[in-house]
Amino acid sequence: MTTKEFKRAARIILVGAPGVGKGTQAERLLKRFPQLSAVSSGDLLRESVRKRTPLGLEAESTMRAGNLVPDDMILRLILGELKSKRWVSSEPSVTDAFPAEPSADPAASFILDGFPRTATQASKLDSLIPINLVVSLITPADIILSRIASRWVHAPSGRVYNVGFNTPKVEGRDDVTGEPLTKRADDDESTWKQRLKKFHETSQPLLEHYDHQGVLWTVKGNSSDEITPKLFHEFETRFA
């Protein structure tokens, strides 16, 4: 794949329903634009807990008590990561009333994954660091449901197959081990319809928030391969 260089820093959020291929698009963008990095709130949280940092211990105690990790704790993790890479100024904290000053260096470009998921969280993030592009990935629900219906997995390795897209060489068998493929327990239509309904309920206010900020861009397609060229073109126009 041909790579492209950014001329200015990109601070990106991808928003898309479950099954839309958000992970696939993020992976392709990282390969296309080498200055772009992934910042995952979930990975930061797990790493902080593993390293037994003060914030990690605080988060672990919260989770063990059966509670969700508070937004401010996630924001502290994100800010700490961005500061450590010198992608934002080191002075501001989560409690400050003004956002951090982001680096203009193209190498300070990132896709933020896992946060925010709601408009409230987005407002808190606004006060921390300005996001300059939010991409809404849209694929029709009937196509997503069709993908799920034809999805099979090799549970031990996590390899995923999709009949018609990534079809196994031997029907019902993993390409590497030859072991049988299975369906995920939650890969049924009723479960996915509920997940899609929940996503649209929470994402609409989030997208409206970023639309008002003037940073929302929507891309539609029936497949990842249809969406990717549109994404590349938009990123190159805006940042390269």
Side-chain angles (χ1 to χ4, degrees):
M1 179 185 292
T2 304
T3 60
K4 297 282 186 177
E5 286 196 0
F6 284 160
K7 299 299 183 185
R8 66 188 187 97
R11 297 178 295 278
I12 311 292
I13 294 171
L14 303 181
V15 180
V20 80
K22 191 172 63 169
T24 297
Q25 298 302 343
E27 186 178 314
R28 291 176 179 179
L29 286 167
L30 294 174
K31 288 180 180 178
R32 177 74 162 185
F33 305 103
Q35 294 152 306
L36 197 58
S37 299
V39 177
S40 165
S41 59
D43 288 349
L44 292 176
L45 180 59
R46 285 185 287 273
E47 184 70 2
S48 186
V49 170
R50 187 185 69 80
K51 289 184 175 179
R52 315 295 290 170
T53 67
L55 192 54
L57 292 172
E58 187 179 347
E60 185 177 43
S61 175
T62 299
M63 290 185 288
R64 281 184 173 174
N67 299 317
L68 293 174
V69 177
D71 291 348
D72 285 355
M73 200 177 293
I74 299 296
L75 287 167
R76 283 158 60 195
L77 281 169
I78 293 169
L79 182 59
E81 177 73 0
L82 299 182
K83 283 180 178 179
S84 72
K85 295 179 180 295
R86 301 182 183 274
W87 290 351
V88 298
S89 56
S90 58
E91 291 81 6
S93 70
V94 171
T95 56
D96 288 335
F98 55 92
E101 183 65 34
S103 170
D105 187 344
S109 298
F110 60 85
I111 298 174
L112 181 59
D113 180 54
F115 192 96
R117 296 184 184 274
T118 68
T120 300
Q121 292 175 343
S123 295
K124 292 181 178 182
L125 183 65
D126 290 343
S127 67
L128 185 64
I129 184 167
I131 297 298
N132 56 13
L133 179 62
V134 176
V135 178
S136 174
L137 301 166
I138 296 179
T139 294
D142 60 333
I143 291 178
I144 292 176
L145 292 172
S146 174
R147 286 181 192 168
I148 301 308
S150 58
R151 182 164 71 179
W152 294 83
V153 299
H154 178 246
S157 68
R159 282 185 285 275
V160 178
Y161 298 88
N162 201 292
V163 179
F165 171 65
N166 183 33
T167 305
K169 294 173 183 175
V170 177
E171 185 177 351
R173 296 284 175 175
D174 176 50
D175 287 354
V176 178
T177 65
E179 294 171 346
L181 301 177
T182 59
K183 298 287 285 184
R184 289 176 176 164
D186 61 351
D187 271 0
D188 66 272
E189 187 170 332
S190 61
T191 299
W192 272 84
K193 282 183 176 179
Q194 190 60 34
R195 290 183 68 183
L196 293 173
K197 180 174 181 288
K198 180 67 175 177
F199 167 78
H200 289 299
E201 288 173 354
T202 58
S203 68
Q204 194 57 40
L206 175 66
L207 296 174
E208 288 174 359
H209 172 88
Y210 283 119
D211 192 24
H212 293 154
Q213 299 274 358
V215 296
L216 179 66
W217 177 70
T218 299
V219 58
K220 300 178 181 180
N222 291 342
S223 69
S224 294
D225 288 345
E226 187 179 335
I227 289 174
T228 298
K230 299 175 184 178
L231 264 181
F232 286 175
H233 179 265
E234 187 67 19
F235 273 52
E236 288 164 20
T237 299
R238 288 176 181 254
F239 302 111

